Amino acid sequence: MRILVTGGAGYIGSAVVQELVEAGNEVTVLDNLSQGHRAAVPEPATFVQGDLRDRSFVEQVLADRRPEAIMHFASHTLVGESMEDPFLYLDDNVRCGVNLMRAAVNNDVDRFILSSTANLFGTPDRIPIDEEAPVEPGSPYGESKFMLERVLHWLDEIHGLRYASLRYFNAAGAAAPHRGEDHDPETHLIPIVLQVALGQREKIVIFGDEYDTPDGTCVRDFIHVLDLAQAHILALRALEDGSRVYNLGNGKGFSVREVIDAARRVTGRDIPAEVGDPRPGDPAVLIASNEKIRNELGWTPEYDSLEAIIESAWQWHRRHPNGYESSE
Ligand code: UFG
């Protein structure tokens, strides 16, 4: 299949591109490299550098590449940043997504997969979180993804654009050895913990230990990027039978302290930790119900232990201590 992947040079996008290419698809990556890395794009994929804000450019890329399906990863993705700069999300994220969706309709692309987020559910009152949980975005970031889900809903109604919205919980792990997490600045828990293990940082600061959880630290549902990738491949196939929305996580929660302890076991290194202030906006517990995607698509996560997820990330970080820098 001919598939256009926006943000395919980023952490999650490039792992999905790797799996799409291996499955024999003809992939075009569209990325402005504001956060992504050229070296993350696997060899057989065609790379086009450019910006989704530029509507005529986007139309041209679709007219040239004639994709049969689009996967849209390109996005600002940080909850905290969105609380400081809401327009980056409520304007930029939404505008870029809508430009792409308009181009999809204009160029007769009828299959679309959106990277959505667990932040749609803000601070949920029921765990695990299933697809029926009330949507109450926890930040402008979550709101921007929900707005895009609503646009897709109407484009399906009006133009027959079939879509899947995949609401990721905490993406983690690496498509090691070649692809992994490389953000600047890095804000995510597992890469920061592994940077401490490598001696690149002095310590990990735990953002609060007085939450209503067994050890007082936040609990998150970590899902391996390659399991995320498989879900995209299954969802794309299932679009034959119509649009759909799935929550996408392992269905298990691990606390920040459990992550640090598991990283100590995996790396065999001492990882100094200290407790700091809570980070504003962090919900205590986020765990997905993945029943729907398991039942409907037969998806099962391969990496369902925390150690296996951290081990793959550790392979990447050890081999690429400065991320993609050495390969660019
Ligand atoms: N944490 C620390 N110290 C750090 C970094 C993180 O204690 O230095 C804690 C956070 O407080 C949180 C947990 O580790 O409790 C995970 O934090 P991350 O920043 O790794 O991930 P988030 O849960 O904040 O957010 C991620 C994605 C979002 C997505 C969300 C959905 O970045 O895009 O998961 O669950 F919306």
Side-chain angles (χ1 to χ4, degrees):
M1 206 170 184
R2 288 188 306 279
I3 305 175
L4 178 79
V5 182
T6 73
Y11 166 49
I12 303 176
S14 66
V16 176
V17 171
Q18 173 181 301
E19 299 301 290
L20 289 174
V21 161
E22 274 172 23
N25 296 287
E26 196 183 315
V27 177
T28 301
V29 168
L30 173 56
D31 200 302
N32 66 3
L33 298 184
S34 66
Q35 303 169 70
H37 306 272
R38 178 66 184 88
V41 180
E43 193 48 60
T46 302
F47 178 70
V48 179
Q49 186 168 351
D51 209 293
L52 290 172
R53 293 177 195 89
D54 182 346
R55 223 209 264 179
S56 58
F57 165 76
V58 178
E59 297 279 348
Q60 194 56 53
V61 172
L62 267 74
D64 289 347
R65 305 301 303 168
R66 309 215 58 75
E68 296 158 281
I70 294 177
M71 295 190 183
H72 180 42
F73 296 90
S75 181
H76 304 286
T77 59
L78 298 174
V79 172
E81 181 183 59
S82 79
M83 297 297 284
E84 281 162 21
D85 189 352
F87 292 114
L88 209 48
Y89 290 77
L90 299 172
D91 181 4
D92 215 48
N93 264 7
V94 174
R95 192 149 39 101
C96 289
V98 172
N99 284 349
L100 182 65
M101 291 168 193
R102 183 198 312 263
V105 169
N106 289 345
N107 288 275
D108 302 320
V109 183
D110 64 357
R111 276 169 263 203
F112 196 103
I113 296 191
L114 175 71
S115 300
S116 188
T117 174
N119 193 251
L120 246 59
F121 304 107
T123 304
D125 49 18
R126 215 172 60 218
I127 295 290
I129 308 167
D130 62 32
E131 289 77 0
E132 303 308 316
V135 171
E136 281 170 21
S139 69
Y141 166 55
E143 191 76 51
S144 72
K145 294 292 186 175
F146 188 51
M147 286 159 88
L148 290 175
E149 285 195 4
R150 296 304 301 163
V151 178
L152 285 169
H153 164 80
W154 287 111
L155 296 182
D156 183 7
E157 284 285 312
I158 298 164
H159 292 291
L161 176 66
R162 280 166 290 174
Y163 71 93
S165 178
L166 302 180
R167 294 147 165 190
Y168 311 156
F169 282 63
N170 286 60
H178 302 301
R179 272 158 212 99
E181 210 162 350
D182 178 5
H183 295 115
D184 185 19
E186 189 52 78
T187 62
H188 294 107
L189 179 63
I190 292 176
I192 291 181
V193 166
L194 295 179
Q195 287 171 354
V196 178
L198 279 174
Q200 295 173 324
R201 291 178 191 246
E202 216 178 292
K203 62 188 176 209
I204 171 78
V205 178
I206 298 170
F207 296 149
D209 69 349
E210 290 180 10
Y211 286 94
D212 186 13
T213 61
D215 69 16
T217 67
C218 289
V219 169
R220 291 290 179 273
D221 179 331
F222 296 93
I223 172 169
H224 196 279
V225 274
L226 292 178
D227 285 326
L228 277 179
Q230 285 314 312
H232 285 74
I233 289 171
L234 294 171
L236 182 57
R237 218 175 282 154
L239 287 184
E240 294 292 328
D241 302 322
S243 296
R244 52 207 54 238
V245 169
Y246 295 114
N247 289 358
L248 198 46
N250 247 314
K252 291 184 196 160
F254 295 99
S255 74
V256 172
R257 278 201 195 282
E258 285 175 314
V259 168
I260 299 169
D261 285 340
R264 289 181 178 132
R265 287 195 296 277
V266 166
T267 63
R269 311 269 173 102
D270 184 30
I271 299 176
E274 74 175 39
V275 178
D277 291 336
R279 188 170 63 179
D282 272 343
V285 182
L286 287 176
I287 302 172
S289 161
N290 56 25
E291 295 258 309
K292 188 178 175 206
I293 190 164
R294 279 180 185 268
N295 291 340
E296 291 187 7
L297 303 188
W299 176 81
T300 29
E302 238 180 76
Y303 296 82
D304 64 349
S305 83
L306 187 56
E307 274 79 5
I309 291 174
I310 294 176
E311 174 62 45
S312 77
W314 180 231
Q315 270 185 48
W316 157 260
H317 283 278
R318 245 189 328 186
R319 205 168 150 149
H320 304 268
N322 300 310
Y324 288 100
E325 202 176 82
S326 49
S327 26
E328 283 175 331

